[in-house]
Amino acid sequence: MIEMLSYEFMQRAFLAGMLIAILASVSGTFVVLKRYSMISETLAHSALVGVAVALVAGYNPLWVAVVVSILSAWLIEYLRSAFALYSDAILSILLSGSLAVAVIIVSIGGEFNNSLFAYLFGSILSVSGEDIATIFIFGFIALFLLLLFSKEFYFIAYDEEVAKTSGIRVKLLNYLLVTIVAIIVALSIRIIGTLLIGALMVIPTIAALQYQVGFLRTSLLSVIFAVLSVIVGMTLSFYFSLPSGATIVLCVLSIFVLSLLINKK
Amino acid sequence: MSIAFKSPIFDVKNLNFSASGQDILAHISLEIFHGEYIAIIGPNGGGKTTLIRLLLGLEKPTTGNIKIFGKDLKHFKEWNKIGFVPQRAAQVDQNFPATALDIVRMGRTSKRKLFSRESEEDIQAVDDAMAKMDILNLKDKMVGTLSGGQRQRVMIARALASNPEILILDEPNTGVDIVSQQNFYKLLSKLNKEENITIVFITHDIGVIADDIGRLFTINQKAIICNDPKAALSCEDMSDLYGISAHLVHNHKHEH
Ligand SMILES: Nc1ncnc2c1ncn2[C@@H]1O[C@H](COP(=O)(O)OP(=O)(O)OP(=O)(O)O)[C@@H](O)[C@H]1O
Ligand SMILES: [Mg+2]
């Protein structure tokens, strides 16, 4: 552990990883309770469109990913409220659409190479100082907003209509939540990767729900599970040269399976 | 006659609602005044829930006008004054991570300032609401593990936590046993008399409606407003009442 942290890039990756774990699990709780788990997968693929554009055009991939992911989140929320479409259908349509666009852009640009691969599966080795700065700036804004409106998000997740009739600006807050989720998803793809970020958002909460405790404890449990998975996952990935994202996901999955077994009736 | 100087809580004028080419509510005009205790009855699919949803802005009327506390529904902001318990509110997701206390505290959400911790007043209001519904002993129980009747009380406590002036309940007594039901009606009438909370509730149990009810609305596409519910109940039995109202609607259509 000490040896590992003597590398500057590992210190950075750890810090960023833990921030992302906190963000993913806190926002994930609301997303899961709203039965909206798939949104993280879809937004991750939209973020990939941003990465593809940035790789081809030579911009900072993380920034463009954040922007495209937010736009996609707004489109999802708009489609969900304006048309009588099933939300899971909207999510899968946008997921495949985004992936198709990303692949086409990259193939036109002739850049379908290792750098895109790093975004698909996450690679801590590729995290630059600039990336860390981006992750921290956006990450803290997202965390601030999540905490600021946590009681509103909780109420909305419980019952959107009752929340509305008690004076909560449901529509606005729904847009805000998907925007926050979009930011978090885009930020995480460096470390966890597009294909795996959904797991870090959803699984810690599902694991925490097995303990059948109130809201505060459920949120705390899911944060602990996510942070623990990131620490253990990154350590294992460092010592055994495994891909970071996949290792983290396997850790969180183990916690989930354990939670299931512990709480088996 | 103090009522005359105060605008009604709800002032509904010529409300019409149709969906998928079907008239669901037609020509509804009604007023609900401060301190009233009103029951709404009517057959399944008669439009009771729809009427409440229109009143609360959850559904947009096709035509017509709704005023709440003297303000146009569009401009109404003081939702804290209204406590609402929807139909099937008690059917919560078994796994939802909430204790009874978590749920009742939701009732204070829009009263609290951003980032502020719970104030003494918030804590007191939550405690009072739970005491009124006699659920203080369930505080730390997960809602998923409560019985139907207990959950119903939790939902009403949530609505009471914002100290509303009016409480709107959509079939709050389904799945509640007879004894609890009688207690429940006593409680509603106590809230009405002692706390001066206006109460509007939808029910199918026309037979057990307490004597305390001031007015009775029968909703079956149209509204029939009965200012003396005891007379209405004694003259016809339930099925007749429903039949007659349906018949009236039919005749009415031909008159126009
Ligand atoms: N948005 C809508 N689109 C289409 N039909 C609707 C809509 N809202 C209500 N309806 C229809 O209006 C009718 C009245 O429904 P409503 O739920 O108001 O009845 P209710 O009196 O509450 O019945 P119950 O006693 O069963 O609760 C039903 O036939 C319902 O299908
Ligand atoms: Mg109904």
Side-chain angles (χ1 to χ4, degrees):
Chain A
M1 196 84 181
I2 306 292
E3 183 211 329
M4 176 177 69
L5 288 178
S6 64
Y7 296 96
E8 201 186 321
F9 77 91
M10 278 310 286
Q11 291 173 6
R12 282 193 231 136
F14 253 92
L15 282 178
M18 284 195 289
L19 179 62
I20 283 169
I22 294 169
L23 289 167
S25 52
V26 173
S27 62
T29 303
F30 302 120
V31 168
V32 167
L33 294 180
K34 286 182 75 158
R35 307 285 170 98
Y36 223 21
S37 305
M38 268 286 289
I39 197 171
S40 46
E41 305 286 348
T42 304
L43 292 178
H45 287 79
S46 305
L48 204 59
V49 173
V51 170
V53 169
L55 287 179
V56 170
Y59 298 127
N60 179 327
L62 218 47
W63 283 84
V64 186
V66 168
V67 172
V68 176
S69 173
I70 290 177
L71 291 177
S72 166
W74 289 348
L75 181 63
I76 292 168
E77 197 52 33
Y78 169 73
L79 290 174
R80 191 175 79 104
S81 57
F83 298 95
L85 293 168
Y86 292 117
S87 20
D88 59 344
I90 297 172
L91 294 177
S92 44
I93 290 168
L94 270 155
L95 188 152
S96 12
S98 299
L99 191 56
V101 172
V103 168
I104 296 225
I105 293 175
V106 168
S107 72
I108 289 174
E111 288 259 1
F112 209 131
N113 53 23
N114 285 338
S115 54
L116 189 71
F117 191 81
Y119 286 98
L120 282 174
F121 297 106
S123 141
I124 29 176
L125 293 171
S126 64
V127 179
S128 68
E130 198 188 340
D131 289 339
I132 296 289
T134 311
I135 290 174
F136 270 82
I137 293 168
F138 281 112
F140 275 107
I141 297 174
L143 189 60
F144 175 81
L145 290 171
L146 273 176
L147 296 179
L148 188 63
F149 293 110
S150 61
K151 54 186 189 308
E152 282 82 2
F153 289 143
Y154 180 54
F155 197 172
I156 293 172
Y158 165 71
D159 192 326
E160 217 172 282
E161 294 200 327
V162 173
K164 195 174 166 198
T165 59
S166 58
I168 289 170
R169 315 255 322 252
V170 172
K171 202 171 167 190
L172 193 72
L173 287 167
N174 276 340
Y175 270 94
L176 183 65
L177 183 62
V178 293
T179 307
I180 294 172
V181 171
I183 293 173
I184 295 170
V185 165
L187 294 181
S188 348
I189 59 175
R190 260 299 196 203
I191 292 177
I192 314 290
T194 316
L195 298 180
L196 301 168
I197 172 60
L200 196 62
M201 275 212 159
V202 172
I203 302 175
T205 296
I206 311 259
L209 284 175
Q210 304 309 315
Y211 295 85
Q212 302 249 340
V213 287
F215 173 58
L216 194 64
R217 289 187 199 178
T218 303
S219 316
L220 286 178
L221 274 178
S222 80
V223 171
I224 292 170
F225 292 162
V227 171
L228 199 66
S229 306
V230 165
I231 293 175
V232 175
M234 280 193 168
T235 309
L236 292 177
S237 107
F238 178 82
Y239 285 110
F240 299 97
S241 319
L242 300 167
S244 55
T247 317
I248 291 170
V249 170
L250 284 184
C251 289
V252 75
L253 267 176
S254 318
I255 292 178
F256 168 67
V257 171
L258 268 178
S259 303
L260 263 188
L261 293 177
I262 291 171
N263 295 291
K264 195 169 166 238
K265 292 198 186 98
Chain B
M1 290 310 287
S2 63
I3 278 172
F5 299 107
K6 231 175 172 180
S7 56
I9 296 183
F10 281 100
D11 188 354
V12 177
K13 291 231 165 69
N14 209 3
L15 193 68
N16 290 281
F17 180 74
S18 43
S20 344
Q22 251 191 322
D23 284 347
I24 291 159
L25 289 171
H27 309 299
I28 306 276
S29 293
L30 51 88
E31 286 170 324
I32 295 169
F33 293 96
H34 287 269
E36 279 206 286
Y37 186 8
I38 293 171
I40 300 179
I41 57 167
N44 292 128
K48 304 179 294 294
T49 299
T50 307
L51 175 65
I52 298 299
R53 293 175 58 81
L54 287 163
L55 292 182
L56 295 172
L58 292 172
E59 208 86 61
K60 289 216 163 47
T62 315
T63 58
N65 204 307
I66 299 170
K67 279 192 172 153
I68 314 184
F69 289 99
K71 278 223 170 85
D72 220 59
L73 181 61
K74 269 199 280 306
H75 306 294
F76 182 70
K77 291 266 161 9
E78 299 159 291
W79 291 102
N80 276 316
K81 290 184 173 175
I82 300 174
F84 170 50
V85 181
Q87 195 166 14
R88 283 179 283 278
Q91 290 175 10
V92 286
D93 171 7
Q94 289 282 327
N95 293 315
F96 197 89
T99 60
L101 183 63
D102 284 336
I103 300 276
V104 180
R105 286 169 75 185
M106 287 180 189
R108 299 294 297 179
T109 309
S110 58
K111 279 214 159 175
R112 281 168 64 187
K113 300 232 165 54
L114 294 176
F115 263 140
S116 67
R117 295 184 60 96
E118 257 186 319
S119 66
E120 278 302 313
E121 197 192 338
D122 291 324
I123 294 169
Q124 194 59 48
V126 167
D127 211 66
D128 284 352
M130 294 187 94
K132 272 175 209 157
M133 297 313 295
D134 196 18
I135 49 166
L136 280 171
N137 56 329
L138 305 177
K139 245 184 186 169
D140 298 320
K141 287 247 167 83
M142 297 293 291
V143 271
T145 65
L146 299 178
S147 75
Q150 288 172 327
R151 259 184 247 168
Q152 198 60 266
R153 284 162 179 269
V154 173
M155 302 310 151
I156 297 171
R158 183 201 38 71
L160 286 175
S162 68
N163 300 324
E165 291 183 24
I166 179 168
L167 197 55
I168 300 175
L169 309 145
D170 194 347
E171 293 189 36
N173 41 355
T174 10
V176 179
D177 65 66
I178 301 278
V179 178
S180 310
Q181 249 180 58
Q182 278 166 353
N183 289 333
F184 179 72
Y185 286 118
K186 271 189 209 136
L187 187 90
L188 285 189
S189 119
K190 201 173 134 200
L191 288 175
N192 177 246
K193 286 213 182 77
E194 290 173 19
E195 317 268 335
N196 201 24
I197 298 176
T198 308
I199 292 182
V200 176
F201 78 100
I202 297 179
T203 181
H204 282 292
D205 303 311
I206 201 170
V208 272
I209 288 180
D211 296 330
D212 316 272
I213 284 166
R215 290 198 294 160
L216 184 69
F217 296 175
T218 306
I219 305 287
N220 190 3
Q221 197 176 53
K222 285 193 173 302
I224 295 169
I225 294 173
C226 170
N227 291 314
D228 183 2
K230 273 167 247 160
L233 293 183
S234 57
C235 59
E236 305 290 347
D237 69 11
M238 190 162 68
S239 63
D240 256 2
L241 186 57
Y242 282 25
I244 284 168
S245 56
H247 190 64
L248 280 178
V249 168
H250 191 74
N251 281 345
H252 220 90
K253 268 190 177 164
H254 286 273
E255 281 168 23
H256 286 281

